[in-house]
Amino acid sequence: MEADPTKDLEIIAHVMTIAETHQISASEALNLYINQLKLKSEQKKEKRANLLEDLQSRLSPENWESVMKYVRHHPTNSELETAYNEAKQSGRLKPVKLLVGGTFYLRNSDFLGNKYLPAGTMLEAEIYDGILCQVWLSPIECEFIFIDELEFV
């Protein structure tokens, strides 16, 4: 992980603000800040687990296994491109527009990480069970998104 001096300064300023506001030492403020980060992390883990359980209950067993197979497998660019071309040729891909902008987690053999997509971005999507869609940014970039976050055009 690369050092980010700007982020470090923001954290220091935040910790010092906590110390001054509550009239405590910088060490105590740092401990409060760390505990707050731990609590937020636990809450995120719990929320992810709840979302996962909800999604599993809403998808058919076949589509759940398909999603899990995708999550566990790191596809190569050629595998993604083949899947995209098969979906395109069979007519399963539909043009869609993102209703909600946000950061999406994408992966392929060249890129693993987040990309921000603004609302209104045009994509292609394949529907799974009317709940979940696999959207394609390009023939080698895809992500799963809930269907209610898309508008079919």
Side-chain angles (χ1 to χ4, degrees), residues 48-80:
R48 272 190 226 131
N50 291 341
L51 285 174
L52 193 62
E53 289 171 7
D54 182 50
L55 181 59
Q56 184 176 8
S57 70
R58 292 168 49 184
L59 289 175
S60 70
E62 298 82 26
N63 282 340
W64 173 253
E65 188 52 40
S66 175
V67 169
M68 288 297 97
K69 183 179 176 185
Y70 175 81
V71 168
R72 291 182 202 116
H73 175 69
H74 186 71
T76 64
N77 285 355
S78 62
E79 289 172 322
L80 286 167

Side-chain angles (χ1 to χ4, degrees), residues 8-150:
D8 293 345
L9 286 174
E10 288 175 5
I11 292 170
I12 291 168
H14 185 68
V15 168
M16 295 308 293
T17 302
I18 292 170
E20 287 179 26
T21 301
H22 298 285
Q23 298 179 350
I24 57 177
S25 70
S27 177
E28 290 172 313
L30 182 58
N31 285 334
L32 285 173
Y33 179 75
I34 290 170
N35 288 336
Q36 180 186 24
L37 290 178
K38 287 179 183 176
L39 178 63
K40 283 182 181 179
S41 176
E42 288 301 317
Q43 289 171 341
K44 281 185 179 181
K45 285 180 188 175
E46 188 176 303
K47 183 178 178 184
R48 272 190 226 131
N50 291 341
L51 285 174
L52 193 62
E53 289 171 7
D54 182 50
L55 181 59
Q56 184 176 8
S57 70
R58 292 168 49 184
L59 289 175
S60 70
E62 298 82 26
N63 282 340
W64 173 253
E65 188 52 40
S66 175
V67 169
M68 288 297 97
K69 183 179 176 185
Y70 175 81
V71 168
R72 291 182 202 116
H73 175 69
H74 186 71
T76 64
N77 285 355
S78 62
E79 289 172 322
L80 286 167
E81 191 168 9
T82 299
Y84 172 82
N85 288 332
E86 286 174 3
K88 184 98 169 160
Q89 289 173 356
S90 68
R92 295 188 318 255
L93 294 181
K94 309 290 183 218
V96 295
K97 180 170 48 171
L98 275 178
L99 293 176
V100 194
T103 303
F104 295 89
Y105 179 78
L106 301 167
R107 63 184 188 159
N108 61 33
S109 58
D110 293 333
F111 178 79
L112 179 65
N114 298 323
K115 283 189 178 179
Y116 179 81
L117 300 175
T121 301
M122 296 299 293
L123 306 165
E124 293 179 290
E126 181 178 354
I127 301 171
Y128 288 89
D129 278 0
I131 297 168
L132 199 62
C133 291
Q134 184 172 16
V135 295
W136 294 86
L137 282 71
S138 73
I140 59 168
E141 295 178 305
C142 61
E143 173 59 291
F144 287 100
I145 296 178
F146 288 105
I147 198 167
D148 58 357
E149 295 177 340
L150 301 171

